């Protein structure tokens, strides 16, 4: 239960108390600042508290935005403010700073505004709600009250609420083919008490059923799979819109939404591969290649964004050109479609599944994602080379965490520390060589399952350790994690494909999926402000270089059949380890509530 304190001259016939109760507040009244402070002190420390002027006139949704959004420790609109437990102490201090006596009446005439200014000066993370067309004001006279009521009546706050439920930046397909009706589905869910997490789970279950239909290998199964995949995407859009519509944000919800997106897509790839196998076509290598390419694309996105999350002097001619193109409306949509975001990608997969074959689906996916990856990566490299920015320690640490270096790379980095210059191109060059040396060897060797490959893996680990020996503050150091991901994932793919044993590629698919989950989980922890997974987990999983070394040793020491069994066992062990720790963390996480408002993945 939350508590709202009404403090100020009472207004007869005002619907304010009813509105506050509608929002879930227990309403109490105070005659002055002193009695309001006493009421504040009596409210349990773990509860949210709102302070509202009885003369407030405005839309119910304006109050909802100011008083119920869980993402901010404190928030305010004219005439109303709220403080979550984290900001309660600051609110109490703000009350304590209000003077009494002659000449101070102006400070308590609109007490909420005085408290808001005090919280703002204290840097408590106060969020001032952007009202747009919504109304929120304190009417001091009957004439002002009448004008404010007319302004409220002129704007349909439910229409505003529905419009703002849609993500501010989305792809073309999502914006024009899904959101026009999914927002109403979100409202339907809200009115029936459904939570975003329940809708997210329904989306996952729908996608898993779609994967099962694809696995039948029949034309009817493929048609049903395409339809269900699209419906799963509708639900995927609905969960975020429901979160924005009802302000049900949470760290757990953001993690489930992002994690389930990957689980749905990769499970669907596996279903297509199983369905193709029923028809006599082995496309597991294509399915694994699609998962590797997609994951590496996302790592590029994550690394670049983290490297520039809080960069200063963030200017470049490329960014300026992009800003100019934004003024030409059609170029915005073209550039959003070129990157093949989740809406366009899933629509393409669904249609091709229904009308073609799994092999064609994967060919189209690989070609489209490869072109998108080249476009986005080239643009980011140009921005990085032409911008003048100073990377922070926080950004360097985030990149180091995303690199996923294990004990071996740590040992090598410790010995190499102090050599080279921070901010040079040494780190990305070493990371590129670490991946390139290994991949060239395993791809072009007649028999990569040999002890010579183990030696090459050791050399790759040495280069990887050198890459992370210094803080990753260089212009292109964000490329280090993607190079490591490509080296590890493609090595697993090639070694499994070259065994020529049934079951090797599906086992490799499971192993890459488990490792990719660990890497996605690292990203979401960093985004949630809780830092990377604990070092014991990274060391237990071996780090990217440790896993490569283990896999090459297994390939050299075991028969092809034994290698397949070992890949399966390793996939199960890693999946259990990272899943158990991840679930434990997110269930108990105290990270601030978040929700993704950026480009679709």
């Amino acid at each position: 239960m939350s508590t709202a304190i009404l403090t100020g001259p009472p207004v007869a016939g005002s619907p304010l108390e009813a509105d506050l109760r509608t929002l879930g507040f227990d309403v109490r009244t105070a005659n002055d600042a002193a009695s309001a402070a006493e009421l504040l002190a009596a409210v349990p420390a773990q509860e949210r508290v709102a302070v509202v002027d009885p003369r407030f006139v405005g839309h119910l949704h304006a109050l909802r935005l100011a008083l119920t959004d869980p993402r901010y420790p404190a928030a305010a609109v004219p005439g109303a403010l709220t403080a979550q437990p984290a900001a309660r102490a600051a609110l109490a201090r703000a009350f304590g700073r209000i003077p009494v006596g002659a000449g101070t009446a102006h400070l308590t005439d609109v007490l909420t505004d005085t408290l808001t200014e005090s919280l703002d000066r204290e840097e408590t993370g106060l969020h001032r709600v952007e009202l747009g067309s919504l109304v929120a004001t304190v009417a001091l006279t009957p004439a002002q009250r009448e004008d404010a009521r007319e302004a409220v009546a002129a704007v349909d706050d439910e229409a505003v609420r529905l419009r703002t439920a849609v993500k501010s930046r989305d792809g073309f397909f999502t914006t024009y083919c899904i959101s026009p009706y999914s927002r109403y589905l979100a409202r339907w869910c809200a009115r029936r008490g459904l939570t975003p997490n329940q809708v997210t789970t329904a989306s996952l279950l729908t996608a898993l059923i779609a994967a099962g239909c694809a696995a039948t290998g029949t034309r009817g199964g493929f048609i049903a799979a395409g339809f269900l995949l699209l419906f799963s995407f509708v639900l995927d859009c609905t969960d975020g819109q429901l979160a924005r519509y009802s302000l049900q944000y949470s760290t757990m919800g953001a993690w489930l939404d992002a994690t389930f997106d990957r689980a749905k897509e990769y499970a669907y790839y596996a279903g297509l591969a199983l369905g193709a196998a029923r028809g006599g076509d082995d496309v597991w290598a294509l399915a694994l290649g699609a998962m590797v390419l997609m994951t590496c694309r996302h790592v590029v996105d994550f690394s670049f964004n983290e490297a520039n999350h809080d960069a200063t002097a963030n200017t470049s001619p490329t960014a300026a050109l992009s800003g100019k193109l934004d003024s030409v409306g059609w170029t915005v949509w073209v550039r959003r479609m070129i990157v093949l975001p989740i809406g366009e990608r899933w629509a393409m997969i669904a249609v091709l599944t229904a009308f073609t074959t799994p092999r064609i689906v994967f060919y189209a996916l690989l070609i489209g994602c490869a072109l998108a990856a080249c476009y986005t990566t080239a643009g980011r490299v140009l921005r990085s080379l032409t911008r003048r920015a100073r990377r922070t320690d926080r950004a360097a640490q985030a990149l180091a965490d995303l690199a996923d270096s294990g004990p071996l790379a740590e040992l090598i980095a410790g010995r190499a520390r102090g050599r080279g210059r921070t901010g040079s191109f040494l780190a990305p060059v070493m990371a590129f060589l670490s991946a390139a040396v290994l991949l060239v060897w395993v791809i072009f060797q007649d028999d990569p399952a040999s002890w010579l490959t183990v030696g090459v893996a050791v050399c790759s680990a040495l280069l990887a350790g050198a890459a992370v020996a210094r803080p990753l503050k260089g212009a292109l150091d964000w490329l280090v994690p993607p190079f490591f991901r490509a080296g590890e994932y493609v090595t697993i793919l090639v070694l499994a494909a070259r065994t020529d044993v049934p079951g090797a590629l599906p086992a490799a698919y499971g192993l890459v999926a488990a490792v990719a989950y660990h890497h996605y989980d690292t990203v979401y922890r960093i985004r949630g402000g809780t830092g990377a997974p604990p070092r014991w987990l990274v060391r237990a999983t071996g780090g990217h270089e440790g896993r490569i070394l283990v896999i090459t040793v297994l390939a050299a020491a075991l028969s092809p059949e034994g290698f397949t069994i070992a890949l399966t066992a390793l996939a199960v062990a890693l999946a259990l380890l990272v899943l158990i720790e991840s679930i434990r963390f997110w269930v108990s996480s105290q990270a601030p509530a978040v929700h993704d408002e950026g480009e679709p993945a």
Side-chain angles (χ1 to χ4, degrees):
M1 189 65 161
S2 301
T3 300
I5 301 173
L6 290 175
T7 177
V11 177
S14 171
L16 181 59
E17 288 193 35
D19 286 345
L20 291 170
R21 290 192 176 95
T22 298
L23 297 178
F25 285 91
D26 176 26
V27 180
R28 304 181 187 182
T29 59
N31 296 324
D32 51 32
S35 57
E38 291 177 0
L39 285 176
L40 174 66
V43 176
Q46 70 274 15
E47 286 189 14
R48 173 195 292 269
V49 173
V51 181
V52 185
D53 193 301
R55 297 164 294 179
F56 174 89
V57 180
H59 287 100
L60 175 61
H61 192 50
L63 275 178
R64 182 182 290 108
L65 291 170
L67 305 185
T68 67
D69 195 328
R71 293 174 295 176
Y72 310 106
V77 293
L81 67 96
T82 186
Q84 293 201 65
R88 284 278 302 276
L91 180 58
R93 289 193 295 271
F95 268 109
R97 283 192 290 268
I98 295 176
V100 295
T104 63
H106 68 286
L107 295 176
T108 56
D109 186 31
V110 184
L111 179 61
T112 52
D113 289 353
T114 301
L115 294 173
T116 298
E117 293 299 328
S118 182
L119 287 176
D120 209 4
R121 288 193 299 271
E122 197 164 334
E123 298 182 356
T124 57
L126 176 72
H127 171 65
R128 292 181 181 267
V129 177
E130 295 183 9
L131 292 171
S133 59
L134 296 175
V135 176
T137 187
V138 176
L140 302 179
T141 66
Q144 290 178 351
R145 175 168 293 274
E146 186 61 30
D147 290 342
R149 284 175 174 171
E150 290 179 1
V152 169
V155 176
D156 184 352
D157 69 336
E158 179 62 19
V160 173
R161 190 180 178 192
L162 271 174
R163 185 177 67 251
T164 55
V166 177
K167 188 183 289 188
S168 56
R169 297 186 66 192
D170 239 327
F172 181 88
F173 178 78
T174 304
T175 300
Y176 291 104
C177 299
I178 304 295
S179 292
Y181 57 88
S182 62
R183 68 184 74 183
Y184 296 101
L185 179 58
R187 182 172 66 181
W188 183 89
C189 293
R191 290 177 175 177
R192 282 152 184 81
L194 297 176
T195 67
N197 290 352
Q198 290 171 332
V199 178
T200 300
T201 303
S203 176
L204 173 65
L205 293 175
T206 304
L208 293 179
I209 295 172
C213 291
T216 63
T218 64
R219 178 51 52 195
F222 288 146
I223 293 173
F227 174 79
L228 288 171
L229 186 66
L230 283 178
F231 182 61
S232 173
F233 182 66
V234 172
L235 293 176
D236 183 55
C237 295
T238 301
D239 65 2
Q241 291 165 0
L242 174 59
R244 285 180 284 273
Y245 180 85
S246 57
L247 299 182
Q248 296 184 73
Y249 299 104
S250 68
T251 300
M252 171 72 78
W255 171 68
L256 287 178
D257 186 36
T259 302
F260 283 5
D261 278 350
R262 305 287 76 78
K264 288 181 287 190
E265 190 163 2
Y266 298 159
Y268 192 81
Y269 293 173
L272 284 175
L274 289 170
R278 285 179 177 271
D281 189 12
D282 186 355
V283 296
W284 275 106
L286 296 177
L288 181 51
M291 181 166 66
V292 168
L293 179 56
M294 189 60 58
T295 306
C296 289
R297 271 193 65 192
H298 288 146
V299 173
V300 169
D301 296 340
F302 300 148
S303 295
F304 179 81
N305 290 335
E306 289 302 325
N308 297 283
H309 180 272
D310 46 11
T312 57
N314 188 3
T315 59
S316 75
T318 309
L321 175 61
S322 179
K324 291 180 180 178
L325 289 175
D326 283 344
S327 63
V328 184
W330 64 270
T331 67
V332 175
W333 294 116
V334 169
R335 284 181 291 135
R336 289 187 188 180
M337 294 172 68
I338 286 175
V339 301
L340 204 62
I342 189 169
E344 279 75 358
R345 190 168 69 248
W346 282 28
M348 180 186 74
I349 293 171
V351 171
L352 291 178
T353 298
F355 296 105
T356 64
T357 65
R359 182 172 289 274
I360 292 177
V361 173
F362 285 122
Y363 281 152
L365 189 61
L366 287 166
I367 293 171
C369 288
L371 292 175
C374 291
Y375 169 78
T376 55
T377 305
R380 287 166 178 171
V381 168
L382 286 174
R383 287 193 182 202
S384 300
L385 291 175
T386 56
R387 81 184 346 149
R388 296 175 181 176
R390 180 176 300 171
R391 272 74 182 185
T392 63
D393 292 336
R394 177 206 170 279
Q397 184 58 52
L399 291 180
D401 293 333
L402 291 173
D404 191 33
S405 300
L408 183 56
E410 283 183 337
L411 177 63
I412 297 166
R415 293 182 176 276
R417 192 160 286 125
R419 303 173 187 177
R421 181 170 58 88
T422 299
S424 69
F425 296 122
L426 180 63
V429 168
M430 291 294 101
F432 171 77
L433 291 176
S434 172
V437 166
L438 183 61
L439 294 182
V440 168
W441 178 268
V442 297
I443 290 172
F444 293 103
Q445 276 296 304
D446 293 333
D447 181 20
S450 67
W451 292 105
L452 284 175
T453 303
V454 176
V456 175
V458 172
C459 294
S460 175
L462 290 171
L463 293 168
V468 296
R470 299 293 299 238
L472 298 177
K473 294 184 177 181
L476 296 179
D477 284 1
W478 56 269
L479 287 169
V480 170
F483 284 145
F484 287 164
R485 295 298 81 76
E488 179 181 2
Y489 297 161
V490 178
T491 296
I492 296 172
L493 189 161
V494 173
L495 288 176
R498 297 290 290 275
T499 61
D500 201 25
V501 171
L505 279 168
Y509 191 94
L511 177 58
V512 172
V515 175
Y517 176 86
H518 168 58
H519 292 144
Y520 280 114
D521 186 54
T522 301
V523 170
Y524 303 139
R525 293 194 194 210
I526 294 173
R527 280 185 170 182
T530 58
R535 284 305 302 170
W536 71 261
L537 179 65
V538 177
R539 293 189 178 103
T541 61
H544 70 94
E545 80 291 346
R547 289 189 295 269
I548 290 174
L549 192 57
V550 168
I551 290 165
T552 55
V553 168
L554 291 174
L558 301 174
S559 65
E561 293 78 9
F563 180 59
T564 300
I565 295 172
L567 282 180
T568 303
L570 189 58
V572 171
L574 279 174
L576 288 175
L577 180 63
V578 298
L579 276 172
I580 291 173
E581 162 56 22
S582 176
I583 293 171
R584 181 210 64 78
F585 169 78
W586 287 105
V587 168
S588 61
S589 174
Q590 298 299 314
V594 296
H595 199 85
D596 176 28
E597 294 292 342
E599 288 286 359

